[in-house]
Amino acid sequence: MDKVRRKSESVNKPIISMKTKYIINILTASALLAGSYGCKPDNSGKSGGSELAGDAAQKVYVAPGKHDEFYNIVSGGFNGQLSVVGLPSGRVLRIIPVFSQFAENGWGYSEETKPMLNTSHGFVPWDDSHHVALSTTNGEHDGKWAFINGNNTPRIARISLSTFRTDEIIEIPNSGGNHSSPFITANSEYAVAGTRFSVPPDANADVSISSFKQNFKGYISFVSIDKTTGHMAIKFQLKTPGVSFDLSRAGKGKSDGWFFFSCYNTEQANSLLEVNASQKDKDFILAVNWKKAEQYLAQGKGKKEPAKYAHNVYDEKTHSATSTILNEVMTLDPKECPDMLYFIPCPKSPHGCDVDPTGSFIVGSGKLAAVIPVFSFDKIQKAIAAKTFDGSFDGIPVLKYEAVLHGEVKKPGLGPLHTEFDGQGNAITSFFVSSELVKWNLQTLEVLDRVPTYYSVGHLSIPGGPTSKPHGKYVIAYNKITKDRYLPTGPELTQSAQLYDISGEKMKLLLDFPTIGEPHYAEAIPASLVEKNSRKIFKLEENFHPYVAKGEKEAKVVRKGNEVHVYMTAIRSHFTPDNIEGVRMGDDVYFHVTNLEQDWDVPHGFAVRGANNAEILIMPGETCTLKWKPTKVGVTPMYCTDFCSALHQEMQGYVRVSPAGSKIPLSWGTGKNPTAEAEKKVAKL
Amino acid sequence: MDKVRRKSESVNKPIISMKTKYIINILTASALLAGSYGCKPDNSGKSGGSELAGDAAQKVYVAPGKHDEFYNIVSGGFNGQLSVVGLPSGRVLRIIPVFSQFAENGWGYSEETKPMLNTSHGFVPWDDSHHVALSTTNGEHDGKWAFINGNNTPRIARISLSTFRTDEIIEIPNSGGNHSSPFITANSEYAVAGTRFSVPPDANADVSISSFKQNFKGYISFVSIDKTTGHMAIKFQLKTPGVSFDLSRAGKGKSDGWFFFSCYNTEQANSLLEVNASQKDKDFILAVNWKKAEQYLAQGKGKKEPAKYAHNVYDEKTHSATSTILNEVMTLDPKECPDMLYFIPCPKSPHGCDVDPTGSFIVGSGKLAAVIPVFSFDKIQKAIAAKTFDGSFDGIPVLKYEAVLHGEVKKPGLGPLHTEFDGQGNAITSFFVSSELVKWNLQTLEVLDRVPTYYSVGHLSIPGGPTSKPHGKYVIAYNKITKDRYLPTGPELTQSAQLYDISGEKMKLLLDFPTIGEPHYAEAIPASLVEKNSRKIFKLEENFHPYVAKGEKEAKVVRKGNEVHVYMTAIRSHFTPDNIEGVRMGDDVYFHVTNLEQDWDVPHGFAVRGANNAEILIMPGETCTLKWKPTKVGVTPMYCTDFCSALHQEMQGYVRVSPAGSKIPLSWGTGKNPTAEAEKKVAKL
C-alpha cells in the first residue's frame, strides 16, 4: 500500500492540494469495495511467496561461461532504449539505443545514425519508450524483430534481433502521444499506434484547449510490416472520438482480425485529469474490426489527408541511415464506416486490455476498479449481431456490459494494471496499489494465489505471455519503486524488476534484479529462437559505404572545398593514415573509419581531442563517420578508444591543424615521417 | 592467448600489414623468455580456480531485500560514465553520467547541467573515462568522493558519494590526452593528470608532426582538492620530456610525498607506435618528488603561462552548474628545479605502476616484458643520495636499474598490466595476453597462484587494493573480450567483469557479471563507509534555484520578449499550470519544473512533444529546466514521464502554440477551464 501510505502522509503538508485528498478517497473507496488482502509487503524478501534463499540462489545462478535460458527484451521506459537481459540470472547483456542519443557508440552522433532521430520537428535526441512487441508468426514468437513505441514524439521503432540494432523508425502523425503502441497482430501484419493524448488534427491545430470536446480527436494508426524486410508504412488511420487510448492487444485465434484498446478520460477533460478524468465509474474498451477496415479501404472509403511525418531506415549494406519526410496519410472516418468500431463499458480508467492465448477472453484492468472484468469474444459477436447496445458514444455503438461479460474476478486486489497468461489456463495480474501479483483461473475466475512485489508493480511479463503459445516458467514484475531494496545511491534510486518461479502451483520470488532505466514493459523469448541468428561481423566485401576503404592501399585524404574527407582504416593496432597535415581552421573534417577486422568481438573505437561530438565505435567490417570541426590551431591527437590488443595503447595518431589560409599542403601516411615530403615542399615555399 | 591466436589467424589475410607480424614476434619472444604456463582458458567456467557452482551460487546470491556488501564504483570506459555495482551480486545499481550526455535524466541537455560539459573547445558531449580514484584520508578510504579522468578532451571529474552526482569537472590544458589520471595522494591533497600523447604546448602549437623530438612535451598537472568542499584547482604543471605517461600511483607511508608514473614511447615516435614505440627493451618509471615541487613553488620558481581551460561546478543549492574559462596556469620547469624528477628504467612499455600498502615497493608492469620488476623505495632514496645514475634522459637523471631493484618476479605470465594488493603481503597482477590473474608474494617474489580470466583482462580491482588498508576478500577482473561467455547480442557483445574469492589461499572464480560500457578500472569500498551518507531528498526550503516555485501559489508564466518562463510545480499527480495558452512561434519556452514532493523515491519527469531536447527527471525538492522552441502551431501535450502514482497516466497538460504575432494573451492554470477567461478576452478582440 506504499503509494497510498505516502499519499496520506503528504496530506498534512500544506503544499498538497485538495485534489490529492480526492484521490485518496477514490482509492479508499476501492479498498473498501475490494475488501482487504493482508498482503502488505514487508521488507525481508522472506515473506509469503518467496523461495528458500538456498533454492532460489541455485535457480538463478548461471555459472561462468554458461548461458541464460531466455532473452528478456526490456523497455528502458524514459531512457528511450531497449536492454537485453538474460533470464534467470537477471544480467544486463546489452543496451540498444533506439530513440535516444547514445554517446557510448555514437548513436545519434555519427553521420550514419543522425538521420534515425530525425522527425517532422527536426532532430529529437530522446523519447519515452514503453511497450515492447516481439514479432510473431501464427501468433507465436518468430525471433525476427522487436518493436517499441516512442511515447513523447509519436514513433514506432523496429529493432533487428540479428544485429541487435535499431533498423527503422517511423513517426506517427495526428497523435498527441504514442502510448497505446506498438501492439501487433498474430502474423505481424500490423503494429498499431493509439493516441494517448487527444489533440486537434495537425491540419487544424490552433484551437483553444477548452474546446477539447469539439476539436480534439483520438487517432489509431495501423502500421503495416513487410513480412520479409520488416519495413513499416502507415497503411491507414482511424479518426476516433477524443479519448485517451492506453493499452491494446490484437485478437488471436477466433478473435484474429480484431483489436481491443483500453480507453480512459472518456470524460474528455483537458485539465487536472487526476480528478476530472476519474468521474465516471465505467470507461471503455474499444473493439476494432480491422479486417473490416481493410475492406472499407479496398472499397475506396479512405481519404488522403495532409500529414507531415518522418520515415527513417538504416541500411546494413551502406551502414547508413536515410530519413524521408512524408506528407499525407490515408484516413478512415468511422461515421462513413459502420460496424467497424464498438465500445465496451469497462470499470474504471482501464489500463491493461489483454487477450488470452485462445483469443476467447478479453481482460480489462481498471486501475481504479474493484473487480477485473473478463469479456467473452463470442458474446461480443452475439451482442453485435443482436445490436444489444447501451446507446452510443460520439456515434459509436456501446455494447451492453452484461451482454458481453464472461464474468468478473472479485476482490482481486487494488489497482489492477496488466494481465498475462501462463498457457495453463491461468492469468496473472499486476496490482500497482496493493503491490502484488495475483494468479486466477480464466474459466472459474477464482483467485488461486497472490505474492507481494517490492514495490508498486506496473507491467508484468511471462515469457510468451501475450502470444498464442506462452513459454511460461517465470513471471517478471516490473516495479516503479525500490526504496530500501538496494544499497542507496542518493535521491535517484535503482530501478528494478523481480523474477518469480511459476512452474509450480504457487508463485515463488527468486530474485530482485536492477534494470537500465524504467523497466516499463518487456517480453521474454527462449534463447534458442534468437541466438542462432545472431550476426557476428559485417563482411568487408558486402560493405557499400560510399566512403569505405577496404584495405590500407585505399586509405586517402581528399579535400573538397572546406570539407576534408579522411578514408581511414583501423586494424590491430594502427590507423592508416595516422599522421595528417594540411587541415585548416574552418574545415569540416570527416573521418570515415573502416574496421578491417573480420574476427568476432574486435571492434575499434575512434575519437579526436576536443571534438564537439561523441566517439564512433566500429564493428568488424563496418564504416562509421565522425565529423570534426577543429576549434584550435595545433597538433591534435586521435586514438582507438576500444581496448583492441596488447598494443591498443599505441593505436594513435596526430592531425595538424593550421590557421585558415595556411599554405601547408595536404599530406598523410603511416610509418616513418609520413609527412616529411610535404614538409620539404613547405620549406621551399 | 586469445588475442595472439586471433592475430596469427589474421596474418594469412592480405589486409594485414607487415607490422602485425612484427608484434607477433615481440609477443612470441616474450613468450619464449617467459616460458609457458599451461593456463589457456577453456570455456567451461569449471576449469582450475573456479568454485564449485553450488558454493559459488550461495556466495554471490543476495536475497531479495538484502543489500550488497561492497559498492563497486566502475568506470564505464568509452561511455564516459560511472556505474555503481553491488558486490558480491554484480548487480548494476546506478549509472552516473559524468562526461557524456545522458538523455535518461537530461544530463547535458537541461539548462542546469549543460555548463558541466563546457570546455575550451566548447560543448563536448562525450569522453572516454578510464580510472576511478576514491578519496582517502591517511591513505584509507573516507567515502567522500570519486574522481575520474576524461581521457580524450583532458578533464578530471569529481562525483559526490552522497548524491551520486557529478559535482565538478576541471579541464587540463597542455595535455594531449589525460590517461595517467586522476591518481590521488594519501590525504587527497592532489589528483594528478599525466599526458598520454605528448603535444606541442598550447602556446606554440602549429608545428610539423615530425618535429616531435624538438617540439612535443609531456605535462603533469597537480590538481589540488579542497579538504572540505572537494573543489579542484590546477596548482601547478610540470613541463616534462615528450614521452607518453600511462598510469601512476602516489607514494604512501614512507614514500608519501612522491609520485610514480609509468612512461612508454620513450622512443618519441609520432607514427605507427605499435612498432616504433616498441623498440627499446626498457622504458621508464618517472619518480616525482611533489613535496619538493611545492618548495620550489614557494620559492617562486613557478612561471605563469597562458592556457585556456574550463572549470565547471555544480551547486546543490541552486541545482545549477556554472562554467568558468580560466586563462593561465602555473608551470615548473625541471631544468630549473633539480632533484625533483628521476627516471627509473623499467622493462618494456610499462602500463601498471603500483605502490604497495606500506609504500615500500613500486611494481612496474611492462606489457611487453617477461618479468615484473619490483623497485624498493629505500634503494631509490639511497641511489639518489649516492647519485647512482645511468646517464640522463632529456636532462633528467636516470637511476641505475640494479641499484633500485628489490627484485623481479620471474615467469609471471604474458602481458602484465596492473597490480593490486590483498593486505596480506601479496600482490595480484593481471595478464592481458595470457588471460590470467597471478598472485605472488611481495617479499619473496614467488608466484603463489594463478587463475584464468575470460578473456584478455585489463585492470583488476581488490576492494581497497590501492590504499594503505586493503579490504581484501575479492578480486575483480575487468575483461576486454567476452566472445562466447554470454548469449550473443549481434556484432557488439556484452562487456564483462569476473569476481573471484581471495579469502583463501587459492583464488576461486565465483561469477561473470556484465558491465555498463567498458569496465576499464574500478574501486570497491565497503557499503558501511558510504550508505550512511547517502542523500534521500533535496529540501524545498534549501532550494535557491532562481526560477523555483515552492508551492502551487508561486506557479506562474512570465513573458520576457520572446522568452516565456513557466514556473511550474509537480506533485502527485498534476502539474501547475497544466493548461497554457499565448505561446507563439518563435518563442523560447523555459519550463522550470519544481518537484514539490518531499518523500524518498518520488521523482517526477517532464517532457513536451517534439522538443529537440531530452526529458528532465526531477528529484524531490529539485528544480530542473527544459528549454523548448516550438516547431509547429497547435496544441502540444506535456506529461510526467516517471510513473509516480496510480494516477500518473493522468499527470499531463497542454500548451497552445499560436502563429507568430498572434493576439492570444498569455493565460494558464490548473482545474476547470483554466484559460476560459483569456478566451473571453480573445472573443472580444
Side-chain angles (χ1 to χ4, degrees):
Chain A
M1 325 297 273
D2 191 66
K3 280 285 184 189
V4 175
R5 204 196 67 249
R6 293 220 313 248
K7 275 178 195 309
S8 35
E9 281 170 6
S10 313
V11 170
N12 307 326
K13 299 205 179 76
I15 53 170
I16 294 285
S17 67
M18 290 308 295
K19 288 102 193 179
T20 310
K21 286 202 176 125
Y22 176 89
I23 294 152
I24 297 159
N25 298 340
I26 295 174
L27 295 173
T28 319
S30 323
L32 291 172
L33 279 163
S36 68
Y37 305 93
C39 62
K40 297 175 188 60
D42 72 5
N43 185 29
S44 68
K46 294 262 173 297
S47 59
S50 74
E51 182 69 274
L52 290 171
D55 309 345
Q58 300 302 334
K59 284 184 173 168
V60 302
Y61 183 68
V62 175
K66 301 295 181 199
H67 290 187
D68 279 289
E69 182 183 356
F70 289 95
Y71 285 92
N72 193 196
I73 310 296
V74 186
S75 162
F78 51 70
N79 73 10
Q81 304 167 336
L82 268 182
S83 51
V84 181
V85 174
L87 296 179
S89 73
R91 298 177 298 180
V92 177
L93 306 179
R94 257 305 281 294
I95 296 173
I96 304 173
V98 182
F99 296 109
S100 297
Q101 286 185 294
F102 192 56
E104 177 176 324
N105 65 7
W107 179 260
Y109 294 94
S110 70
E111 294 306 293
E112 289 79 4
T113 58
K114 273 190 225 160
M116 291 300 284
L117 303 186
N118 189 40
T119 73
S120 62
H121 303 272
F123 184 83
V124 173
W126 167 88
D127 213 312
D128 177 24
S129 298
H130 284 199
H131 310 115
V132 175
L134 299 186
S135 57
T136 55
T137 302
N138 303 324
E140 300 179 20
H141 280 153
D142 59 25
K144 283 192 204 165
W145 305 299
F147 299 86
I148 191 162
N149 65 320
N151 186 24
N152 182 56
T153 300
R155 289 171 286 177
I156 294 178
R158 180 176 54 83
I159 294 91
S160 158
L161 292 182
S162 163
T163 60
F164 289 78
R165 287 185 175 186
T166 303
D167 274 354
E168 188 176 10
I169 294 179
I170 191 163
E171 190 177 1
I172 310 294
N174 294 314
S175 173
N178 186 34
H179 191 273
S180 189
S181 182
F183 305 96
I184 59 174
T185 52
N187 283 295
S188 305
E189 297 98 336
Y190 292 107
V192 291
T195 306
R196 171 179 172 185
F197 313 111
S198 286
V199 286
D202 294 355
N204 164 37
D206 185 25
V207 299
S208 75
I209 299 168
S210 57
S211 71
F212 187 112
K213 288 188 171 66
Q214 306 89 282
N215 293 321
F216 286 36
K217 287 276 161 220
Y219 273 85
I220 295 175
S221 307
F222 280 74
V223 177
S224 62
I225 300 162
D226 182 273
K227 255 194 164 20
T228 51
T229 65
H231 283 177
M232 299 184 284
I234 299 178
K235 187 90 170 287
F236 61 93
Q237 293 190 316
L238 303 178
K239 203 184 286 185
T240 70
V243 297
S244 292
F245 296 109
D246 199 345
L247 292 170
S248 174
R249 288 293 182 192
K252 47 175 96 96
K254 61 168 65 172
S255 55
D256 188 22
W258 287 76
F259 250 107
F260 305 93
F261 293 84
S262 56
C263 314
Y264 67 104
N265 191 23
T266 57
E267 296 86 350
Q268 304 191 306
N270 58 278
S271 180
L272 196 64
L273 266 63
E274 68 176 322
V275 174
N276 298 328
S278 306
Q279 298 298 321
K280 295 187 178 176
D281 286 336
K282 285 203 175 67
D283 293 280
F284 295 126
I285 285 172
L286 177 66
V288 178
N289 183 340
W290 61 265
K291 291 250 161 106
K292 192 139 222 164
E294 286 183 324
Q295 292 166 17
Y296 283 126
L297 219 58
Q299 295 161 20
K301 290 274 176 96
K303 206 175 290 151
K304 284 190 173 167
E305 289 188 2
K308 198 176 164 208
Y309 62 103
H311 183 204
N312 311 330
V313 180
Y314 184 83
D315 179 341
E316 230 176 74
K317 298 289 178 213
T318 61
H319 300 290
S320 304
T322 52
S323 177
T324 312
I325 296 291
L326 301 169
N327 295 303
E328 59 181 17
V329 67
M330 182 69 75
T331 60
L332 284 174
D333 188 338
K335 294 186 172 37
E336 297 151 25
C337 305
D339 308 327
M340 182 173 68
L341 305 182
Y342 299 93
F343 278 123
I344 301 168
C346 183
K348 178 166 191 165
S349 302
H351 190 60
C353 178
D354 298 288
V355 179
D356 84 307
T358 69
S360 311
F361 301 118
I362 298 94
V363 180
S365 303
K367 58 189 191 251
L368 302 179
V371 298
I372 300 175
V374 179
F375 302 99
S376 153
F377 182 72
D378 294 338
K379 289 185 172 182
I380 290 168
Q381 296 310 305
K382 283 202 202 75
I384 289 170
K387 298 200 173 336
T388 318
F389 299 152
D390 196 351
S392 71
F393 183 87
D394 202 3
I396 293 166
V398 176
L399 300 171
K400 221 176 190 15
Y401 179 73
E402 296 72 14
V404 296
L405 189 71
H406 163 61
E408 293 174 339
V409 182
K410 307 285 187 189
K411 301 188 175 184
L414 292 184
L417 280 194
H418 175 221
T419 301
E420 291 202 348
F421 308 92
D422 68 358
Q424 312 298 314
N426 305 310
I428 300 178
T429 301
S430 60
F431 289 81
F432 177 85
V433 176
S434 51
S435 290
E436 60 186 327
L437 302 183
V438 175
K439 178 178 174 180
W440 51 275
N441 181 281
L442 268 165
Q443 284 296 344
T444 68
L445 305 181
E446 66 184 309
V447 170
L448 304 173
D449 188 27
R450 57 177 73 242
V451 286
T453 61
Y454 306 90
Y455 302 93
S456 300
V457 57
H459 283 273
L460 55 74
S461 169
I462 295 171
T467 71
S468 301
K469 193 180 166 195
H471 315 295
K473 190 159 184 177
Y474 302 110
V475 64
I476 306 104
Y478 298 99
N479 300 340
K480 302 304 183 184
I481 299 180
T482 62
K483 237 168 64 244
D484 44 21
R485 300 293 286 179
Y486 299 94
L487 288 175
T489 57
E492 196 177 342
L493 289 174
T494 304
Q495 301 265 2
S496 178
Q498 295 185 288
L499 180 72
Y500 298 79
D501 182 342
I502 59 168
S503 57
E505 229 177 66
K506 297 289 179 188
M507 300 178 280
K508 291 193 178 306
L509 175 60
L510 297 178
L511 181 71
D512 282 27
F513 65 95
T515 61
I516 304 305
E518 176 213 5
H520 194 96
Y521 175 57
E523 281 204 46
I525 179 171
S528 58
L529 289 175
V530 174
E531 60 185 329
K532 60 180 185 297
N533 305 323
S534 186
R535 189 76 178 265
K536 289 190 172 182
I537 65 165
F538 299 105
K539 293 204 180 115
L540 257 183
E541 59 267 32
E542 295 172 2
N543 181 329
F544 295 101
H545 192 292
Y547 293 93
V548 64
K550 294 193 181 184
E552 297 187 349
K553 275 178 256 51
E554 298 179 15
K556 61 185 173 184
V557 182
V558 177
R559 173 180 288 282
K560 294 182 192 162
N562 73 337
E563 284 186 8
V564 176
H565 291 273
V566 182
Y567 296 67
M568 182 181 271
T569 62
I571 191 164
R572 284 164 291 176
S573 284
H574 62 277
F575 295 106
T576 305
D578 73 357
N579 277 203
I580 301 170
E581 300 203 352
V583 171
R584 307 177 200 127
M585 289 298 288
D587 286 345
D588 288 321
V589 183
Y590 295 84
F591 294 98
H592 309 285
V593 185
T594 301
N595 180 347
L596 296 179
E597 311 279 355
Q598 291 287 272
D599 298 326
W600 200 22
D601 205 3
V602 196
H604 290 289
F606 179 81
V608 55
R609 184 184 69 177
N612 306 116
N613 207 342
E615 72 164 355
I616 47 177
L617 197 60
I618 315 133
M619 295 300 124
E622 187 181 23
T623 303
C624 297
T625 302
L626 184 147
K627 182 183 177 181
W628 174 51
K629 197 171 191 56
T631 56
K632 291 179 182 178
V633 165
V635 176
T636 301
M638 54 193 180
Y639 68 102
C640 174
T641 56
D642 194 343
F643 209 109
C644 57
S645 83
L647 292 166
H648 155 76
Q649 191 75 347
E650 283 73 6
M651 191 166 177
Q652 67 163 81
Y654 290 107
V655 189
R656 178 183 180 180
V657 178
S658 300
S662 154
K663 290 267 177 303
I664 308 283
L666 210 54
S667 65
W668 66 89
T670 294
K672 215 157 180 44
N673 293 337
T675 61
E677 279 318 299
E679 273 137 32
K680 281 188 205 132
K681 287 201 209 99
V682 186
K684 291 203 197 80
L685 295 174
Chain B
M1 324 292 277
D2 190 66
K3 280 286 185 189
V4 174
R5 203 195 68 250
R6 294 222 312 252
K7 274 179 194 310
S8 33
E9 283 169 6
S10 313
V11 169
N12 307 324
K13 299 206 179 78
I15 53 170
I16 294 286
S17 67
M18 291 309 295
K19 289 101 191 179
T20 310
K21 288 206 176 122
Y22 176 89
I23 295 154
I24 297 161
N25 299 339
I26 295 174
L27 296 173
T28 320
S30 323
L32 291 172
L33 279 164
S36 68
Y37 305 94
C39 63
K40 294 174 189 62
D42 71 6
N43 186 28
S44 69
K46 296 261 172 300
S47 59
S50 75
E51 183 68 274
L52 289 171
D55 309 343
Q58 299 302 335
K59 285 184 174 169
V60 301
Y61 183 68
V62 176
K66 302 296 181 199
H67 289 187
D68 279 289
E69 182 184 355
F70 290 95
Y71 284 94
N72 192 197
I73 310 296
V74 186
S75 162
F78 51 71
N79 73 10
Q81 304 166 336
L82 267 182
S83 50
V84 180
V85 174
L87 296 179
S89 72
R91 298 177 298 181
V92 177
L93 305 179
R94 257 305 282 293
I95 296 173
I96 304 173
V98 182
F99 296 109
S100 297
Q101 286 184 294
F102 193 56
E104 177 176 324
N105 65 7
W107 179 260
Y109 294 94
S110 71
E111 295 306 294
E112 290 78 4
T113 57
K114 273 190 226 160
M116 291 300 284
L117 303 186
N118 189 41
T119 73
S120 63
H121 303 272
F123 183 83
V124 174
W126 168 87
D127 213 313
D128 177 24
S129 297
H130 284 200
H131 311 115
V132 174
L134 300 186
S135 57
T136 54
T137 302
N138 303 324
E140 299 179 19
H141 279 153
D142 58 25
K144 283 192 203 164
W145 305 299
F147 298 86
I148 191 163
N149 64 319
N151 186 23
N152 182 57
T153 301
R155 288 171 286 178
I156 294 178
R158 180 176 54 84
I159 294 90
S160 159
L161 292 181
S162 163
T163 60
F164 289 78
R165 287 185 174 185
T166 303
D167 275 353
E168 188 176 11
I169 293 179
I170 192 163
E171 190 177 1
I172 310 293
N174 294 315
S175 173
N178 186 33
H179 191 273
S180 189
S181 182
F183 305 96
I184 59 174
T185 52
N187 283 295
S188 305
E189 297 99 335
Y190 291 108
V192 290
T195 307
R196 171 180 172 184
F197 313 111
S198 285
V199 285
D202 294 353
N204 163 37
D206 184 25
V207 299
S208 75
I209 299 169
S210 58
S211 72
F212 188 112
K213 289 189 170 66
Q214 307 88 284
N215 293 321
F216 286 35
K217 287 275 160 223
Y219 273 85
I220 296 175
S221 307
F222 281 73
V223 176
S224 61
I225 300 162
D226 182 273
K227 256 197 163 20
T228 52
T229 64
H231 283 176
M232 299 185 285
I234 300 178
K235 187 89 171 287
F236 60 93
Q237 293 191 316
L238 303 177
K239 203 183 288 185
T240 70
V243 297
S244 293
F245 295 109
D246 199 345
L247 293 170
S248 174
R249 288 294 182 191
K252 47 176 97 94
K254 62 168 65 172
S255 55
D256 186 24
W258 286 75
F259 249 108
F260 305 92
F261 293 85
S262 56
C263 313
Y264 67 104
N265 192 22
T266 57
E267 297 86 350
Q268 303 189 307
N270 58 280
S271 180
L272 197 63
L273 265 64
E274 69 175 322
V275 175
N276 298 330
S278 305
Q279 299 299 320
K280 294 187 178 174
D281 285 337
K282 284 202 176 67
D283 293 281
F284 296 125
I285 286 172
L286 177 66
V288 178
N289 183 340
W290 60 264
K291 292 250 161 106
K292 191 141 225 164
E294 286 183 325
Q295 292 166 16
Y296 283 126
L297 218 57
Q299 294 161 20
K301 289 275 175 89
K303 205 175 293 151
K304 283 189 175 168
E305 289 187 3
K308 198 176 164 207
Y309 62 103
H311 183 204
N312 310 331
V313 180
Y314 184 82
D315 179 340
E316 229 176 75
K317 298 289 178 213
T318 61
H319 299 290
S320 305
T322 51
S323 177
T324 312
I325 296 291
L326 302 168
N327 295 303
E328 61 181 15
V329 67
M330 182 69 76
T331 60
L332 283 174
D333 188 340
K335 295 187 171 37
E336 297 152 24
C337 305
D339 308 327
M340 181 173 69
L341 305 183
Y342 299 92
F343 279 123
I344 301 167
C346 183
K348 178 167 191 164
S349 301
H351 190 60
C353 177
D354 298 288
V355 179
D356 83 308
T358 69
S360 311
F361 299 118
I362 297 95
V363 180
S365 302
K367 57 189 191 253
L368 303 179
V371 298
I372 301 175
V374 180
F375 301 99
S376 153
F377 182 73
D378 293 338
K379 289 185 173 181
I380 291 168
Q381 296 310 306
K382 282 203 201 76
I384 289 169
K387 298 199 168 346
T388 317
F389 298 152
D390 196 352
S392 71
F393 182 87
D394 202 3
I396 293 166
V398 176
L399 299 170
K400 221 178 188 22
Y401 180 73
E402 297 71 16
V404 295
L405 189 71
H406 164 61
E408 292 174 339
V409 182
K410 308 285 187 190
K411 300 187 174 186
L414 292 184
L417 280 195
H418 175 220
T419 301
E420 291 202 349
F421 308 92
D422 67 359
Q424 312 298 314
N426 305 310
I428 300 178
T429 301
S430 60
F431 290 80
F432 177 85
V433 176
S434 52
S435 290
E436 60 185 327
L437 302 183
V438 176
K439 177 179 175 181
W440 50 275
N441 180 282
L442 268 165
Q443 284 297 344
T444 67
L445 306 181
E446 67 185 308
V447 171
L448 304 173
D449 187 27
R450 58 177 72 242
V451 285
T453 61
Y454 306 90
Y455 302 92
S456 300
V457 58
H459 283 272
L460 55 73
S461 170
I462 295 172
T467 72
S468 301
K469 194 181 166 194
H471 315 295
K473 189 159 184 176
Y474 301 111
V475 63
I476 307 104
Y478 298 98
N479 300 339
K480 302 306 182 184
I481 299 181
T482 62
K483 234 167 67 246
D484 44 22
R485 300 292 286 179
Y486 299 94
L487 288 174
T489 57
E492 197 177 340
L493 290 175
T494 304
Q495 301 265 2
S496 178
Q498 296 185 287
L499 180 72
Y500 298 79
D501 181 342
I502 59 167
S503 57
E505 226 178 70
K506 296 288 177 188
M507 299 179 280
K508 291 193 179 307
L509 175 60
L510 297 178
L511 181 71
D512 282 27
F513 65 95
T515 62
I516 304 305
E518 176 213 5
H520 195 97
Y521 174 57
E523 282 204 46
I525 179 171
S528 58
L529 289 174
V530 173
E531 60 185 329
K532 59 179 187 297
N533 304 324
S534 186
R535 189 77 177 264
K536 288 189 172 184
I537 64 165
F538 299 106
K539 292 204 180 112
L540 257 182
E541 60 266 32
E542 294 173 2
N543 181 330
F544 295 100
H545 192 291
Y547 292 93
V548 65
K550 295 193 180 184
E552 296 186 349
K553 276 178 258 44
E554 297 180 16
K556 62 184 173 183
V557 182
V558 176
R559 172 179 287 281
K560 294 182 191 161
N562 72 337
E563 285 187 6
V564 175
H565 292 272
V566 182
Y567 297 67
M568 183 181 270
T569 61
I571 191 164
R572 284 165 291 175
S573 284
H574 61 277
F575 295 105
T576 305
D578 73 358
N579 277 202
I580 301 170
E581 299 203 353
V583 171
R584 306 179 200 126
M585 289 297 290
D587 286 344
D588 288 321
V589 183
Y590 295 84
F591 294 98
H592 309 284
V593 185
T594 301
N595 180 346
L596 296 179
E597 311 279 356
Q598 291 286 270
D599 298 327
W600 199 22
D601 204 5
V602 196
H604 289 289
F606 179 81
V608 55
R609 184 184 68 177
N612 306 117
N613 207 341
E615 72 165 354
I616 46 177
L617 197 61
I618 315 133
M619 295 300 123
E622 186 181 24
T623 304
C624 297
T625 302
L626 184 146
K627 182 183 178 181
W628 174 51
K629 196 171 192 55
T631 56
K632 291 180 183 178
V633 165
V635 176
T636 302
M638 54 194 181
Y639 68 101
C640 174
T641 55
D642 194 343
F643 210 109
C644 57
S645 84
L647 292 165
H648 156 75
Q649 191 76 346
E650 283 73 7
M651 191 166 177
Q652 67 164 81
Y654 289 107
V655 189
R656 177 182 181 181
V657 178
S658 301
S662 153
K663 291 268 179 302
I664 308 283
L666 210 54
S667 65
W668 66 89
T670 294
K672 215 157 180 45
N673 292 337
T675 60
E677 279 318 300
E679 273 137 31
K680 282 186 206 132
K681 286 199 211 100
V682 184
K684 292 203 197 81
L685 295 173

